[in-house]
Amino acid sequence: MSMLAALQKNRMIPEIYKQMSREALEERVREVKNKLGSKLFIPGHHYQKDEVIQFADATGDSLKLAQISAENKEAEFIVFCGVHFMAETADILTRDEQKVILPDMRAGCSMADMADEQQTDRAWEKLTEIFGETILPLTYINSTAAIKSFVGENGGAIVTSSNAHTMLKWAFNQKERILFLPDQHLGRNTAVDLGIDLDEMAVWNPITNNLEFDGDDVSKVKIILWKGHCSVHMGFTVQNVIDTRSQFPDRKIIVHPECRHEVVKLADMAGSTSYIIKTIENAEPGSSWAIGTEMNLVNRIIQTNSDKNIVSLNPHMCSCMTMNRIDLPHLVWSLDTLEDNSNHNLIKVDAETAENAKLALERMLANS
């Protein structure tokens, strides 16, 4: 057996965990949590299944969870119930002796995977040939550690959906143009809000290694949008908005800015996950809402806001498939490996990558 095959085999969940009842799995989580106490910390992202989120010591978005993990000085093990880039951010921020574990290494992010280190290097070389030294890179936090490192090394910063407006303003005070990775829709929606015209935006296609621009004067370009997207938020369409308006004219529509610009433009409100949660929590009892974001979160908002009428903007929407790979069997398996010290899904970012990525993060924290 090759080394790669052996590693892949070791990362495959043993069959015994798939055969355990939900009750037995839940009891095992409680046993390990009680035994390890403060040595164990389980962060859970908003998009996680209820079966997992019930055991989270903290819930939130990726940055908040990474920061809380870093503030937890007692935890030896951080079992991050999210996706790979989130666990990387936690490893970057936590101390070297703390171990960050991802219950299932298949839990990735399709958006983060749309920009890799080689593609970014090629893009940067070609874009600097076109625009010279006038570009500053920004990356959405939904990106790999390697992309965060690239941005940090080149003077840029990380952004979140909550501070994207602030960070884009900051970036334009540094350079004339911005390369926005890896989600074109958050970049486009934010830029439009700041008064930048669509004809001042171009799209970088990492597959063809080419700049897509409809205008005749490339010098007018202010924003270069990486051709990436969130597979979940792409599921919300203009037709969903039209159908909701025609069938339920009093229903307010609130969406995440990872949705397409055409959808955001037609919605009543758009904002980050925390913005959506707070808006619904503070809404009048009896008010009616259609939410355009991930289905596990929408269902949880419905459960915790029973005094309101809430639906998904897309009635056929499914939850984030990669996030859903973290389930009870994988959580229990990862907890069991803490005791035998095998730590099969340890997330470790190399020192140089972590240092540059932290630079990008620190610039964000200093300017937002």
Side-chain angles (χ1 to χ4, degrees):
M1 180 183 296
S2 68
M3 183 177 294
L4 178 59
L7 286 171
Q8 290 173 335
K9 181 179 180 182
N10 289 337
R11 288 178 176 177
M12 295 297 291
I13 186 170
E15 195 65 30
I16 186 173
Y17 292 101
K18 299 178 183 179
Q19 297 171 356
M20 293 173 68
S21 67
R22 175 161 179 160
E23 292 75 16
L25 290 165
E26 290 177 337
E27 181 58 30
R28 181 57 183 151
V29 177
R30 286 189 284 267
E31 287 176 5
V32 177
K33 290 193 73 170
N34 288 335
K35 182 176 181 179
L36 293 179
S38 61
K39 292 182 179 179
L40 171 65
F41 182 64
I42 303 178
H45 190 268
H46 284 305
Y47 295 174
Q48 286 290 290
K49 297 178 179 179
D50 286 345
E51 67 183 61
V52 171
I53 211 75
Q54 65 175 317
F55 294 112
D57 296 307
T59 58
D61 59 27
S62 59
L63 178 60
K64 175 186 174 183
L65 293 177
Q67 290 174 315
I68 293 173
S69 299
E71 291 165 3
N72 189 330
K73 305 304 182 185
E74 296 182 33
E76 295 179 19
F77 306 104
I78 297 162
V79 179
F80 206 111
C81 294
V83 294
H84 196 275
F85 80 81
M86 300 178 187
E88 284 185 328
T89 305
D91 181 62
I92 288 168
L93 294 182
T94 51
R95 303 188 316 277
D96 288 343
E97 59 269 23
Q98 291 178 298
K99 294 180 178 179
V100 178
I101 310 293
L102 185 65
D104 188 345
M105 293 295 271
R106 301 173 305 156
C109 170
S110 59
M111 180 200 297
D113 291 342
M114 291 176 190
D116 65 36
E117 193 173 7
Q118 291 74 30
Q119 289 173 331
T120 310
D121 287 342
R122 289 196 300 269
W124 193 246
E125 181 180 0
K126 194 163 182 179
L127 287 171
T128 52
E129 286 177 3
I130 299 171
F131 298 108
E133 302 297 321
T134 65
I135 314 170
L136 188 81
L138 293 180
T139 188
Y140 191 20
I141 196 161
N142 296 32
S143 56
T144 66
I147 299 305
K148 292 181 176 77
S149 178
F150 163 84
V151 168
E153 187 177 7
N154 287 281
I158 294 168
V159 312
T160 68
S161 52
S162 297
N163 68 21
H165 292 79
T166 299
M167 292 310 300
L168 203 56
K169 289 179 183 177
W170 169 83
F172 275 120
N173 285 328
Q174 315 303 310
K175 291 288 182 76
E176 183 180 345
R177 296 179 178 85
I178 307 303
L179 170 62
F180 195 97
L181 294 125
D183 179 25
Q184 62 172 311
H185 301 297
L186 176 62
R188 183 178 291 107
N189 289 321
T190 305
V192 167
D193 285 349
L194 294 180
I196 297 172
D197 293 334
L198 292 174
D199 61 9
E200 295 177 305
M201 304 182 203
V203 175
W204 179 262
N205 187 329
I207 306 303
T208 62
N209 200 44
N210 190 47
L211 189 68
E212 298 176 353
F213 179 61
D214 294 333
D216 53 8
D217 185 359
V218 76
S219 69
K220 293 180 180 179
V221 171
K222 293 182 179 179
I223 295 276
I224 303 154
L225 304 164
W226 192 270
K227 197 168 189 175
H229 63 268
C230 170
S231 301
V232 169
H233 289 106
M234 283 288 283
F236 299 103
T237 65
V238 168
Q239 191 62 49
N240 292 149
V241 178
I242 293 171
D243 291 344
T244 297
R245 296 287 192 213
S246 63
Q247 297 173 33
F248 308 98
D250 296 330
R251 181 167 284 167
K252 291 184 179 179
I253 297 174
I254 185 169
V255 301
H256 196 282
E258 290 175 19
C259 292
R260 281 175 276 211
H261 177 62
E262 295 79 8
V263 173
V264 170
K265 186 169 60 173
L266 292 174
D268 297 298
M269 306 173 193
S272 65
T273 298
S274 59
Y275 173 84
I276 292 172
I277 293 171
K278 289 175 183 176
T279 299
I280 301 298
E281 286 176 347
N282 295 328
E284 289 292 324
S287 57
S288 182
W289 296 85
I291 305 177
T293 194
E294 198 272 343
M295 201 63 209
N296 280 333
L297 176 59
V298 173
N299 285 335
R300 199 167 296 123
I301 291 174
I302 291 171
Q303 293 165 14
T304 55
N305 292 271
S306 57
D307 60 335
K308 292 135 196 162
N309 179 5
I310 304 167
V311 298
S312 171
L313 178 59
N314 182 344
H316 307 294
M317 194 64 194
C318 64
S319 52
C320 176
M321 299 307 293
T322 51
M323 188 76 73
N324 270 359
R325 286 175 174 153
I326 307 293
D327 56 16
L328 259 182
H330 281 88
L331 176 58
V332 172
W333 178 41
S334 64
L335 293 178
D336 280 348
T337 65
L338 301 182
E339 294 195 312
D340 63 22
N341 207 35
S342 62
N343 306 148
H344 64 292
N345 285 349
L346 184 68
I347 302 297
K348 197 65 184 171
V349 180
D350 70 86
E352 183 180 356
T353 299
E355 182 180 357
N356 286 325
K358 194 176 287 187
L359 273 177
L361 181 61
E362 288 169 350
R363 290 190 189 107
M364 179 192 77
L365 296 175
N367 293 284
S368 64

